[in-house]
Amino acid sequence: MSRSAHPAGPRHADVLPEGHYSAPPADLNALDPKVWAQTVERDADGVVTVGGMAVTRLAEEYGTPAYVLDEADFRARARAWRTAFGTDADVFYAGKAFLSRAVVRWLDEEGLNLDVCSGGELATALSAGMPADRIAFHGNNKSPEEIERAVRAGVGRIVLDSFQEIVRVAHIAQSLGVRQRVQIRITVGVEAHTHEFIATAHEDQKFGIPLAGGQAAEAVRRALQLDGLEVIGIHSHIGSQIFDMSGFEVAAHRVVGLLKDIRDEHGVELPEIDLGGGLGIAYTSDDDPREPHEIAKALTEIVTRECEGARLRTPRISVEPGRAIVGPTAFTLYEVGTVKPLDGLRTYVSVDGGMSDNIRTALYDAEYSVALVSRASDAESMLARVVGKHCESGDIVVKDAFLPGDLAPGDLIAVPATGAYCRSMASNYNHVLRPPVVAVRDGEARVIVRRETEEDLLRLDVG
Ligand code: LLP
């Protein structure tokens, strides 16, 4: 078995990787609903609109680059996950994908819970009024201060990641007179990415406690003895951008095996299991993600079947989708600055952002789509590469793109499916200012995270 994290070909290739985008799309003006947010369409004048607002107007009012987020789409996806899992399961949105106070309020209103993995994410959640008992606190190295803050706030669960943390959280909870609900994160020896997974040897990583060698069982044994902890279940997260459910199947099998061992040894049936996040989305038309209801059905069936086999009561399931909820809801709007044809190779299209607002292409060889959005064009297509304005040749936003051959400075182009892990991983490299997040809904736009200013940069620099 092999692993394929983000199949993409060589990073600096002059030519398209074999078998990849062999032909330009039939219609460059078409917007594939798989990769664009739900309300995105092209109006009669050829201008792309989202939530009823033209991108040209958004660019005028809010500038570029900007992340434009379709609020109706976000809510619809959150609701779809909630409905798919029903009331016997819990959906925790993974805040690391993208978190802001507006997002927290939408999640609260749509009945989702929230997974946070740092003091900063916890502070954002609490400041927006997310009820603490609907927050799960993650992380492989939570500081004692973070733990104390989470316990004091009354978070619904802390996901314990190491033997030391078991003791640390127990001690802090006990000293505060609290019995903290916890899950224990284990590594089941499965790592899944995209279409493939590896079912051996992937315990060599920083997260969780390995199932192998009885370590996870020992962790549960210790946690069950500590007064400060109420062990509610086992947690497993197997990877990112997964389309293939077989990795979850193996993970569930192994988690249920542990639940059975715990029952046999301690007479305790832990009531919950969390299968993490990692469900894939379409970045290009080649990707075929599953719908939430299919995922819910598959996961529920797997866990139920495994529990029946082990004669266990089926535990309450929780999941932690991040990318699958927010990823498709946003696109990044850029203005084209320069268009540089390189004879016999391709045309380099430079935009006013780059690796500071989307590091995923440089970091993971991630693939994206792109379209001209400020007008329609019937020009011939050209093979392009969309690059940023940073002082680095790896500053690539879309490695292999087909765009209309009449693309010119001043045109607006947009890269869809940038809602997850773009703003949340944005940097100030080259002192470039991080773009705003503009939420659009029913013909109205609202800034939910404002654009960074030079003043913001200089405020941190104390001279
Ligand atoms: N739960 C846990 C415990 C996680 O570690 C993660 C992601 C999630 C849930 C949410 O996974 P999602 O459904 O969003 O795939 N920066 C990378 C992704 C790193 C994900 C880390 N953990 C990227 O841009 O692809």
Side-chain angles (χ1 to χ4, degrees):
M1 271 180 266
S2 67
R3 167 182 161 185
S4 166
H6 291 281
R11 188 168 307 178
H12 298 289
D14 293 324
V15 291
L16 289 176
E18 214 178 310
H20 177 86
Y21 283 126
S22 46
D27 178 6
L28 282 180
N29 296 311
L31 301 165
D32 184 349
K34 259 206 294 192
V35 296
W36 292 90
Q38 275 170 17
T39 71
V40 169
E41 56 191 17
R42 212 177 269 279
D43 71 14
D45 300 327
V47 178
V48 168
T49 66
V50 54
M53 281 202 71
V55 293
T56 39
R57 200 171 135 207
L58 289 168
E60 261 165 44
E61 281 183 28
Y62 304 102
T64 55
Y67 303 102
V68 180
L69 194 155
D70 181 344
E71 180 183 338
D73 191 15
F74 184 100
R75 287 178 179 272
R77 287 176 200 273
R79 212 174 302 139
W81 276 84
R82 182 80 212 92
T83 313
F85 279 87
T87 49
D88 293 335
D90 298 299
V91 180
F92 286 76
Y93 168 78
K96 68 205 81 182
F98 172 64
L99 197 63
S100 78
R101 288 192 275 193
V103 162
V104 173
R105 282 191 284 268
W106 301 339
L107 293 167
D108 188 10
E109 286 164 17
E110 300 298 340
L112 271 73
N113 304 328
L114 178 62
D115 140 13
V116 300
C117 68
S118 70
E121 288 185 359
L122 178 61
T124 305
L126 293 174
S127 82
M130 178 56 104
D133 62 353
R134 283 167 48 202
I135 298 176
F137 189 32
H138 268 279
N140 67 301
N141 189 18
K142 309 169 190 78
S143 71
E145 294 73 27
E146 286 174 323
I147 294 168
E148 180 172 336
R149 187 164 180 201
V151 175
R152 279 188 192 280
V155 298
R157 63 176 67 158
I158 296 182
V159 182
L160 301 175
D161 199 87
S162 66
F163 280 96
Q164 286 167 349
E165 202 174 74
I166 291 172
V167 180
R168 206 172 281 159
V169 172
H171 176 74
I172 292 172
Q174 202 173 6
S175 67
L176 294 172
V178 171
R179 195 145 181 258
Q180 177 62 48
R181 287 160 58 86
V182 297
Q183 289 191 337
I184 297 178
R185 178 164 174 179
I186 68 166
T187 48
V188 293
V190 167
E191 182 160 318
H193 291 279
T194 308
H195 297 284
E196 294 171 85
F197 76 97
I198 305 180
T200 52
H202 272 268
E203 277 155 347
D204 188 2
Q205 52 132 322
K206 71 171 183 169
F207 292 108
I209 299 174
L211 191 59
Q215 295 177 77
E218 176 60 21
V220 174
R221 196 171 297 134
R222 291 190 197 176
L224 284 171
Q225 285 164 5
L226 295 168
D227 289 340
L229 306 181
E230 179 189 348
V231 184
I232 60 165
I234 301 296
H235 184 286
S236 153
H237 171 78
I238 57 171
S240 303
Q241 185 60 2
I242 305 168
F243 295 128
D244 177 351
M245 300 304 284
S246 48
F248 287 102
E249 191 149 0
V250 177
H253 173 72
R254 295 184 180 173
V255 169
V256 170
L258 177 62
L259 292 183
K260 181 173 177 294
D261 292 347
I262 295 166
R263 193 258 331 262
D264 294 346
E265 182 180 338
H266 303 283
V268 177
E269 289 198 29
L270 296 184
E272 297 193 21
I273 72 172
D274 190 310
L275 292 171
L279 286 314
I281 63 164
Y283 285 100
T284 73
S285 299
D286 293 340
D287 295 325
D288 260 319
R290 294 191 178 206
E291 295 294 325
H293 66 89
E294 295 175 274
I295 294 162
K297 186 165 178 282
L299 291 182
T300 311
E301 277 174 10
I302 294 167
V303 173
T304 309
R305 193 183 59 227
E306 291 295 329
C307 288
E308 277 168 8
R311 294 177 195 282
L312 282 167
R313 268 195 304 276
T314 305
R316 189 175 177 88
I317 301 173
S318 50
V319 286
E320 298 171 337
R323 186 191 324 262
I325 291 178
V326 71
T329 68
F331 57 81
T332 315
L333 187 61
Y334 298 105
E335 185 177 303
V336 173
T338 64
V339 178
K340 188 188 287 183
L342 296 186
D343 282 350
L345 292 172
R346 66 169 79 231
T347 298
Y348 277 77
V349 174
S350 294
V351 295
D352 46 0
M355 66 195 301
S356 54
D357 59 70
N358 187 349
I359 190 64
R360 297 192 69 261
T361 308
L363 195 56
Y364 311 119
D365 267 355
E367 290 184 355
Y368 282 92
S369 318
V370 60
L372 169 61
V373 289
S374 48
R375 62 185 172 91
S377 164
D378 50 19
E380 286 286 298
S381 71
M382 63 175 179
L383 174 59
R385 175 164 290 170
V386 179
V387 297
K389 60 181 289 170
H390 295 274
C391 287
E392 185 148 335
S393 54
D395 172 25
I396 295 169
V397 181
V398 187
K399 192 157 29 179
D400 302 314
F402 284 104
L403 282 163
D406 62 352
L407 194 76
D411 278 334
L412 298 176
I413 62 175
V415 174
T418 57
Y421 303 108
C422 286
R423 180 59 180 80
S424 67
M425 292 173 81
S427 76
N428 286 125
Y429 184 39
N430 298 143
H431 282 205
V432 168
L433 306 166
R434 286 178 295 179
V437 182
V438 181
V440 183
R441 184 186 177 187
D442 298 334
E444 279 179 35
R446 171 165 82 95
V447 174
I448 60 171
V449 179
R450 73 160 167 78
R451 184 183 300 285
E452 219 161 21
T453 62
E454 283 175 7
E455 203 185 7
D456 291 328
L457 281 187
L458 292 172
R459 208 170 334 164
L460 294 177
D461 180 339
V462 293

